[in-house]
Coordinates of all heavy atoms in Angstrom, one line a residue:
P345 N 53.8 -21.9 8.8 CA 53.8 -21.8 7.4 C 54.2 -23.0 6.7 O 55.0 -23.9 7.3 CB 54.9 -20.7 7.2 CG 55.8 -20.9 8.4 CD 54.9 -21.2 9.5
R346 N 53.8 -23.2 5.5 CA 54.2 -24.4 4.7 C 55.5 -24.1 4.0 O 56.0 -25.0 3.3 CB 53.1 -24.7 3.7 CG 51.8 -25.2 4.4 CD 50.8 -25.5 3.3 NE 50.2 -24.4 2.6 CZ 49.5 -24.4 1.5 NH1 49.4 -25.6 0.9 NH2 49.0 -23.3 0.9
L347 N 55.9 -22.8 4.0 CA 57.1 -22.4 3.4 C 57.9 -21.5 4.2 O 57.3 -20.6 4.9 CB 56.7 -21.7 2.1 CG 57.9 -21.1 1.2 CD1 58.8 -22.2 0.7 CD2 57.3 -20.4 0.0
L348 N 59.2 -21.7 4.4 CA 60.1 -20.9 5.1 C 61.1 -20.3 4.2 O 61.8 -21.0 3.4 CB 60.8 -21.8 6.2 CG 61.4 -21.1 7.4 CD1 60.5 -20.2 8.1 CD2 61.9 -22.2 8.4
L349 N 61.3 -19.0 4.2 CA 62.2 -18.3 3.4 C 63.3 -17.7 4.3 O 63.0 -17.0 5.2 CB 61.5 -17.1 2.6 CG 60.3 -17.5 1.8 CD1 59.6 -16.3 1.2 CD2 60.7 -18.6 0.7
M350 N 64.6 -18.1 4.0 CA 65.6 -17.7 4.9 C 66.8 -17.1 4.1 O 67.3 -17.7 3.2 CB 66.1 -18.9 5.7 CG 65.0 -19.6 6.4 SD 65.5 -21.0 7.5 CE 65.8 -20.1 9.0
D351 N 67.2 -15.9 4.4 CA 68.3 -15.2 3.7 C 69.6 -15.1 4.6 O 69.6 -14.3 5.5 CB 67.9 -13.8 3.2 CG 68.8 -13.3 2.1 OD1 69.9 -13.8 1.9 OD2 68.4 -12.3 1.5
E352 N 70.5 -16.0 4.4 CA 71.7 -16.1 5.1 C 71.5 -16.0 6.7 O 72.1 -15.2 7.3 CB 72.7 -15.0 4.7 CG 73.1 -15.1 3.2 CD 74.2 -14.2 2.8 OE1 75.1 -14.0 3.6 OE2 74.2 -13.8 1.6
P353 N 70.6 -16.8 7.2 CA 70.2 -16.6 8.6 C 71.3 -16.9 9.6 O 71.3 -16.4 10.7 CB 69.0 -17.6 8.8 CG 69.3 -18.7 7.8 CD 69.8 -17.9 6.6
F354 N 72.3 -17.7 9.1 CA 73.4 -18.0 10.1 C 74.7 -17.3 9.7 O 75.8 -17.5 10.2 CB 73.7 -19.5 10.1 CG 72.4 -20.3 10.4 CD1 72.2 -21.6 9.8 CD2 71.4 -19.9 11.2 CE1 71.1 -22.3 10.0 CE2 70.3 -20.5 11.5 CZ 70.1 -21.8 10.9
G355 N 74.6 -16.3 8.8 CA 75.7 -15.6 8.2 C 76.6 -14.9 9.2 O 77.8 -14.7 9.0
A356 N 75.9 -14.4 10.3 CA 76.7 -13.6 11.3 C 77.2 -14.4 12.5 O 77.7 -13.9 13.4 CB 75.8 -12.5 11.8
L357 N 77.0 -15.8 12.4 CA 77.4 -16.6 13.6 C 78.8 -17.3 13.4 O 79.2 -17.5 12.3 CB 76.3 -17.6 13.8 CG 74.9 -17.2 13.9 CD1 73.9 -18.3 14.0 CD2 74.7 -16.2 15.1
D358 N 79.4 -17.6 14.6 CA 80.6 -18.4 14.5 C 80.3 -19.8 14.0 O 79.2 -20.3 14.1 CB 81.3 -18.4 15.9 CG 80.5 -19.1 16.9 OD1 80.5 -20.3 17.0 OD2 79.7 -18.4 17.6
E359 N 81.4 -20.4 13.5 CA 81.3 -21.7 12.9 C 80.6 -22.8 13.7 O 79.8 -23.6 13.3 CB 82.7 -22.2 12.4 CG 82.7 -23.3 11.4 CD 82.0 -22.9 10.1 OE1 81.9 -21.8 9.7 OE2 81.5 -23.9 9.5
M360 N 81.0 -22.8 15.0 CA 80.4 -23.9 15.9 C 78.9 -23.7 16.0 O 78.2 -24.7 15.9 CB 81.1 -23.8 17.3 CG 82.5 -24.1 17.3 SD 82.9 -25.8 17.8 CE 82.4 -25.7 19.5
T361 N 78.5 -22.5 16.4 CA 77.1 -22.1 16.5 C 76.3 -22.4 15.2 O 75.2 -22.9 15.2 CB 76.9 -20.7 16.9 OG1 77.7 -20.4 18.0 CG2 75.5 -20.3 17.3
R362 N 77.0 -22.1 14.1 CA 76.4 -22.3 12.8 C 76.1 -23.7 12.5 O 75.0 -24.1 12.1 CB 77.4 -21.7 11.8 CG 76.8 -21.4 10.5 CD 77.8 -20.6 9.7 NE 77.2 -20.4 8.4 CZ 77.5 -19.4 7.5 NH1 78.3 -18.5 7.9 NH2 76.9 -19.4 6.4
E363 N 77.1 -24.6 12.8 CA 76.8 -26.0 12.6 C 75.7 -26.6 13.5 O 74.9 -27.4 13.0 CB 78.1 -26.8 12.8 CG 79.1 -26.7 11.7 CD 80.2 -27.8 11.7 OE1 80.2 -28.6 12.7 OE2 81.0 -27.8 10.8
Y364 N 75.8 -26.1 14.7 CA 74.7 -26.5 15.7 C 73.3 -26.1 15.2 O 72.4 -26.9 15.1 CB 75.0 -25.9 17.0 CG 74.0 -26.2 18.0 CD1 73.8 -27.6 18.5 CD2 73.1 -25.3 18.5 CE1 72.8 -27.9 19.4 CE2 72.1 -25.6 19.4 CZ 72.0 -26.8 19.9 OH 71.0 -27.2 20.8
L365 N 73.2 -24.8 14.7 CA 71.9 -24.4 14.3 C 71.5 -25.1 12.9 O 70.3 -25.3 12.7 CB 71.9 -22.9 14.1 CG 71.7 -22.1 15.4 CD1 71.5 -20.6 15.1 CD2 70.6 -22.6 16.2
Q366 N 72.5 -25.4 12.1 CA 72.1 -26.1 10.9 C 71.5 -27.5 11.2 O 70.4 -27.9 10.6 CB 73.4 -26.4 10.1 CG 73.9 -25.2 9.4 CD 75.4 -25.3 8.9 OE1 75.9 -26.4 9.0 NE2 76.0 -24.2 8.5
T367 N 72.1 -28.2 12.2 CA 71.5 -29.4 12.6 C 70.1 -29.2 13.2 O 69.1 -30.0 12.9 CB 72.4 -30.1 13.7 OG1 73.7 -30.2 13.1 CG2 71.9 -31.5 14.0
E368 N 69.9 -28.2 14.0 CA 68.6 -27.8 14.5 C 67.6 -27.5 13.4 O 66.5 -28.0 13.5 CB 68.7 -26.6 15.5 CG 69.4 -26.9 16.7 CD 68.5 -27.6 17.7 OE1 67.5 -27.0 18.2 OE2 68.8 -28.8 18.0
L369 N 68.0 -26.7 12.4 CA 67.1 -26.3 11.4 C 66.7 -27.6 10.6 O 65.5 -27.7 10.2 CB 67.7 -25.3 10.5 CG 66.9 -24.9 9.3 CD1 65.6 -24.2 9.7 CD2 67.6 -23.9 8.4
A370 N 67.6 -28.5 10.3 CA 67.3 -29.7 9.5 C 66.2 -30.5 10.3 O 65.2 -31.0 9.7 CB 68.5 -30.5 9.4
R371 N 66.4 -30.6 11.6 CA 65.4 -31.3 12.4 C 64.0 -30.6 12.4 O 62.9 -31.2 12.2 CB 65.9 -31.4 13.9 CG 64.8 -32.0 14.9 CD 65.3 -31.9 16.3 NE 65.5 -30.6 16.8 CZ 64.6 -29.7 17.2 NH1 63.3 -30.0 17.1 NH2 64.9 -28.5 17.7
I372 N 64.0 -29.2 12.6 CA 62.8 -28.4 12.6 C 62.1 -28.5 11.3 O 60.9 -28.7 11.2 CB 63.1 -27.0 12.9 CG1 63.6 -26.9 14.4 CG2 62.0 -26.0 12.7 CD1 64.2 -25.6 14.8
A373 N 62.8 -28.4 10.1 CA 62.2 -28.5 8.8 C 61.5 -29.9 8.6 O 60.4 -30.0 8.1 CB 63.2 -28.3 7.7
A374 N 62.2 -31.0 9.1 CA 61.7 -32.3 9.0 C 60.4 -32.4 9.9 O 59.4 -33.0 9.5 CB 62.7 -33.4 9.4

Side-chain angles (χ1 to χ4, degrees):
R346 295 183 285 165
L347 175 63
L348 196 53
L349 305 174
M350 308 183 90
D351 196 345
E352 301 189 32
F354 307 146
L357 305 176
D358 64 84
E359 195 60 28
M360 296 261 293
T361 307
R362 199 166 172 155
E363 283 197 357
Y364 176 69
L365 282 189
Q366 287 162 7
T367 308
E368 288 282 292
L369 177 61
R371 174 185 62 77
I372 290 165

